[in-house]
Amino acid sequence: MTGAETLSVVMVAAVCLALMAGYPVALTLGGVALAFAVLGELTGSMSMALIGALPQRIFGVMTNETLLAIPLFVFMGVMLERSRIAEDLLETMGRLFGSLRGGLGVSVAIVGTLLAASKGVVGATTVTLGLIMLPTMLRHAYDPRLAAGTVAATATLAQIFPPAIVLVLLGDQISNAYQAAQLAQGNFAPSSVSVADLFAGAVVPAFMLVGLYIVYLIATAFLRPKAAPAIPADPDAPRGVAMARRLGEVLVAPVALILAVLGSILGGLATPTEAASVGAFGAILLAARRIAPARTWPIDLGILALLAILPLRQLGPSAVLPLIAVAVLSAAIALLRVYRDGTLVQVTAKSTQFVSMIFLILIGATMFSLVFRGLGGDDLVHRALSNLPGGAAAAIVVVMLAMFLLGFIMDAFEIIFVVVPIVAPVLLRMEGIDPVWLGVLMAVNLQTSYMTPPFGPTLFFLRGVAPPEITTRHLYAGVVPFVAIQVAMLIVLWFVPGLATALPHALYGR
Amino acid sequence: MSLPDELTRIADHIDRLTGAVGRAVAWLAVAIVLVQFAVVLMRYGLGIGSIWMQESILYAHAVLFLLAAAWTLANDGHARIDILYAGASPRTKALVDLCGSLLLLLPFMAALAWYAWPYVARSWAILERSQEVSGLPFVYLLKSVLLLFALLMALQGIAQTIRAWAVLRRS
């Protein structure tokens, strides 16, 4: 190890220590890296001039079209959250399936998945599910361990269920790493991997996870009926046609929106950014409908006009322009409603701060990687990973373990921005490692880490909103079976990479 | 008026400034949604593409996350690793924030501004425009936002230092 490389190792240790103090991660990464750049300059290990590349790198982030999907997906999630559409959904599904044995648990898993897909952020999903479903399940004598475990596991699906924000960021980083890896191998016409590929790759594993959760819940309900009892039918609950209408009202719209977003990406119709704008715009319309349930017709008319554009566009602008005019009017009414209601101000403020948080981490991590590379740390990682006994498999296992452990203290965003640019180019240079498979493996791994006791962040979020009769012990014991499902999924993914790669291959022919 | 009061007033002024900027650029979130959706409608409905509209969304996004960063810091919206921080006393928290702004935030922003200055100046010298023919001719303005970002963040760091110092002084 050269002196500079030693310095890069010390820098990683120093960053970890400094992070534990609790100052914002982004600024800690940037500040500590700067200190080590100065140290490197003084000891002749690196040239400060390398930091001159920082503005250009940040400008690259500012003009990155892929990352534009982030503010749109965040806006969509926050709008759906603030408009309480999710709450309606949970309540109705609980009433519908509650009278079946284990039905309440299964409806939490299904609605949780929908929430995860629309919100894309674990914290928000955990809070919603924890505040609404946990008390309901406890009231109906569910085993507190089972209730807490179900909520924690389903909420964490937000990490990998497309269109998860984590997948957008991971897709962007993997794509850069894949290009770099191929260039390093002398391939100057590299093939590329996109966010849409990663979305498609995550679909099958994500659905398998939900399926396994549900199987576990049903099995528990039958083996230990006391843990997940059927709830007595609610005499005030609407029945028959009324129930079906209520279900249609609360279920169809959000599900259609999510399907439209996902379907258009997977079908290759739209880029993730385009689809995200449809999702965000749709969320505004749905929120406006929810605010004034008695006068939804102006909004419905706009939705119909938008839907009519697709089949009628062949007729040319004379057919499309009137439809667009109707949609614009309808959108104006919708915006006015969410503005007057105060929702819009809250949603813009919350989404803006969240987006700013993510991108500040990216800026800090960019500075960190610049200095880490400047000190030759990437060569060190390359040598260490390439010389492991056991080859590529061992290298991946080491990286996965490191990411899993880091997941206890750091957000997925931070790990993706800091670790992936350093390790992924090395891993992708090795024989037989598919970038989509690697990305999905990383995503499921980070998700597993997110809910693993005792440090999994989801458990902390849930701790904060859970009713007092749920103890930390309940929470830990309840989530363990779900963690076991996750680990099983990781092992299956390891031996059957096709679970991640077959769908993108079929859809996009990669 | 004593020095501490004077300093706290400065911190208040900074909070008001970054807050006003943050709340203003937050509206760009709505603009991003609407313009991007309009681009989609035009592309799929009418078959028209517009490079300057697409670029204006990128501009809006960059301005949004850069200029709202200081406001987000004032609202404690930037992710921390709070395993120890969450349970710490107000005094310890103030100490972390004081050291953090003086040793990490301010030097980092100073370095960013130092290296961004020539980068931005080069862009102004040629009034750099988009590489696309029909793109926006304001790349030099977009790059200047980097300097504004560093300035606002540094100001917020000063406000954070003052408030942390006030907490430490009181206890």
Side-chain angles (χ1 to χ4, degrees):
Chain A
M1 219 190 287
T2 65
E5 285 172 355
T6 314
L7 206 54
S8 74
V9 174
V10 178
M11 175 169 87
V12 172
V15 161
C16 290
L17 265 177
L19 282 174
M20 294 310 287
Y23 198 67
V25 174
L27 300 165
T28 309
L29 284 170
V32 174
L34 176 66
F36 275 82
V38 174
L39 216 58
E41 171 82 28
L42 292 178
T43 56
S45 308
M46 76 169 267
S47 161
M48 283 281 280
L50 284 173
I51 303 178
L54 184 64
Q56 178 61 43
R57 292 285 177 87
I58 300 178
F59 187 69
V61 173
M62 290 159 69
T63 49
N64 181 323
E65 299 224 6
T66 308
L67 295 178
L68 204 51
I70 299 290
L72 294 163
F73 279 132
V74 169
F75 187 94
M76 168 183 165
V78 177
M79 183 58 94
L80 287 178
E81 181 194 344
R82 284 295 147 112
S83 58
R84 314 214 158 267
I85 288 168
E87 276 85 338
D88 292 352
L89 200 57
L90 275 172
E91 218 174 281
T92 314
M93 292 287 273
R95 280 183 170 178
L96 190 67
F97 293 118
S99 52
L100 304 174
R101 208 189 276 177
L104 205 51
V106 173
S107 49
V108 169
I110 294 173
V111 178
T113 311
L114 284 173
L115 277 189
S118 65
K119 290 192 178 172
V121 182
V122 174
T125 320
T126 316
V127 170
T128 311
L129 282 173
L131 281 178
I132 303 169
M133 282 325 263
L134 215 42
T136 314
M137 288 163 96
L138 292 179
R139 201 165 56 239
H140 294 295
Y142 263 63
D143 183 337
R145 286 170 297 183
L146 185 69
T150 310
V151 167
T154 347
T156 314
L157 279 174
Q159 291 273 53
I160 58 152
F161 211 95
I165 291 167
V166 165
L167 290 177
V168 178
L169 300 171
L170 194 57
D172 187 52
Q173 297 289 348
I174 293 265
S175 153
N176 296 340
Y178 192 46
Q179 301 264 346
Q182 291 180 88
L183 284 174
Q185 285 171 317
N187 178 356
F188 292 103
S191 59
S192 63
V193 40
S194 68
V195 170
D197 290 325
L198 210 56
F199 277 180
V203 166
V204 174
F207 271 111
M208 280 179 71
L209 281 172
V210 183
L212 289 171
Y213 293 173
I214 292 177
V215 167
Y216 167 72
L217 282 165
I218 294 176
T220 310
F222 277 90
L223 295 175
R224 290 194 299 131
K226 276 197 178 142
I231 60 178
D234 182 353
D236 300 331
R239 259 170 241 285
V241 179
M243 184 69 198
R245 260 189 64 191
R246 174 82 184 131
L247 191 66
E249 264 166 35
V250 302
L251 186 67
V252 169
V255 170
L257 187 63
I258 293 164
L259 286 182
V261 171
L262 254 186
S264 56
I265 299 171
L266 296 182
L269 268 178
T271 65
T273 303
E274 291 171 338
S277 77
V278 176
F281 188 81
I284 297 177
L285 296 184
L286 293 190
R289 283 187 95 241
R290 174 71 168 67
I291 287 168
R295 285 174 296 119
T296 58
W297 66 267
I299 316 288
D300 296 338
L301 208 61
I303 297 176
L304 285 178
L306 286 172
L307 290 176
I309 289 179
L310 277 181
L312 293 182
R313 64 183 166 163
Q314 269 82 15
L315 301 178
S318 55
V320 173
L321 282 175
L323 291 173
I324 291 187
V326 173
V328 167
L329 269 178
S330 162
I333 295 172
L335 276 173
L336 201 63
R337 280 192 193 167
V338 285
Y339 174 70
R340 281 214 188 122
D341 180 58
T343 310
L344 193 59
V345 178
Q346 288 176 22
V347 171
T348 53
K350 206 176 161 206
S351 346
T352 299
Q353 296 199 3
F354 193 78
V355 169
S356 191
M357 183 269 282
I358 294 179
F359 281 90
L360 192 67
I361 299 174
L362 185 49
I363 291 172
T366 305
M367 175 74 179
F368 177 84
S369 335
L370 267 180
V371 177
F372 188 75
R373 260 165 233 265
L375 292 170
D378 52 340
D379 291 333
L380 189 67
V381 170
H382 187 185
R383 276 206 312 277
L385 286 177
S386 320
N387 295 336
L388 284 176
I396 295 187
V397 171
V398 167
V399 168
M400 289 296 155
L401 270 178
M403 288 175 83
F404 186 83
L405 293 176
L406 277 176
F408 286 161
I409 53 165
M410 287 165 98
D411 249 345
F413 307 131
E414 295 147 13
I415 301 175
I416 289 168
F417 295 149
V418 175
V419 179
V420 175
I422 293 170
V423 299
V426 182
L427 293 179
L428 290 174
R429 242 185 281 181
M430 295 176 176
E431 200 58 45
I433 296 184
D434 182 279
V436 173
W437 175 71
L438 183 67
V440 173
L441 205 61
M442 282 177 167
V444 177
N445 182 32
L446 283 175
Q447 180 221 354
T448 308
S449 155
Y450 229 76
M451 58 193 241
T452 301
F455 295 120
T458 307
L459 306 174
F460 285 100
F461 290 134
L462 194 52
R463 190 62 274 175
V465 295
E469 58 264 42
I470 300 255
T471 63
T472 305
R473 192 183 291 264
H474 286 145
L475 199 52
Y476 288 177
V479 85
V480 164
F482 291 96
V483 174
I485 292 177
Q486 295 285 135
V487 174
M489 185 70 222
L490 277 171
I491 295 173
V492 172
L493 254 180
W494 177 271
F495 288 106
V496 194
L499 289 177
T501 55
L503 191 60
H505 184 77
L507 290 174
Y508 312 117
R510 321 187 24 261
Chain B
M1 201 182 266
S2 64
L3 180 66
D5 290 339
E6 200 62 40
L7 286 174
T8 311
R9 272 192 35 201
I10 293 177
D12 288 343
H13 280 303
I14 294 175
D15 282 353
R16 266 197 295 278
L17 173 71
T18 55
V21 173
R23 274 185 291 273
V25 298
W27 288 107
L28 289 173
V30 183
I32 292 171
V33 173
L34 294 180
V35 179
Q36 180 67 56
F37 188 69
V39 168
V40 171
L41 271 187
M42 282 168 56
R43 189 178 142 202
Y44 290 90
L46 301 167
I48 326 173
S50 161
I51 291 174
W52 69 262
M53 269 174 90
Q54 196 60 53
E55 286 191 355
S56 71
I57 306 169
L58 284 172
Y59 279 44
H61 178 220
V63 169
L64 173 121
F65 72 74
L66 286 174
L67 298 192
W71 175 51
T72 308
L73 184 66
N75 285 290
D76 201 15
H78 287 296
R80 302 172 182 262
I81 289 179
D82 56 2
I83 293 179
L84 302 175
Y85 187 86
S89 66
R91 202 185 140 78
T92 313
K93 285 184 177 172
L95 198 63
V96 167
D97 286 347
L98 184 77
C99 297
S101 18
L102 289 178
L103 301 175
L104 301 167
L105 189 159
L106 288 171
F108 183 33
M109 288 305 139
L112 176 59
W114 174 264
Y115 287 103
W117 187 269
Y119 178 73
V120 175
R122 273 198 302 278
S123 184
W124 273 85
I126 54 166
L127 292 182
E128 189 179 3
R129 44 186 304 139
S130 168
Q131 287 169 2
E132 309 279 345
V133 178
S134 53
L136 293 177
F138 305 118
V139 173
Y140 56 100
L141 290 179
L142 184 59
K143 287 186 174 172
S144 311
V145 177
L146 268 177
L147 291 174
L148 211 51
F149 157 74
L151 177 69
L152 286 173
M153 283 297 283
L155 282 174
Q156 196 62 56
I158 292 169
Q160 195 178 39
T161 310
I162 293 172
R163 295 204 191 285
W165 179 69
V167 172
L168 290 175
R169 220 176 135 269
R170 252 183 278 127
S171 54

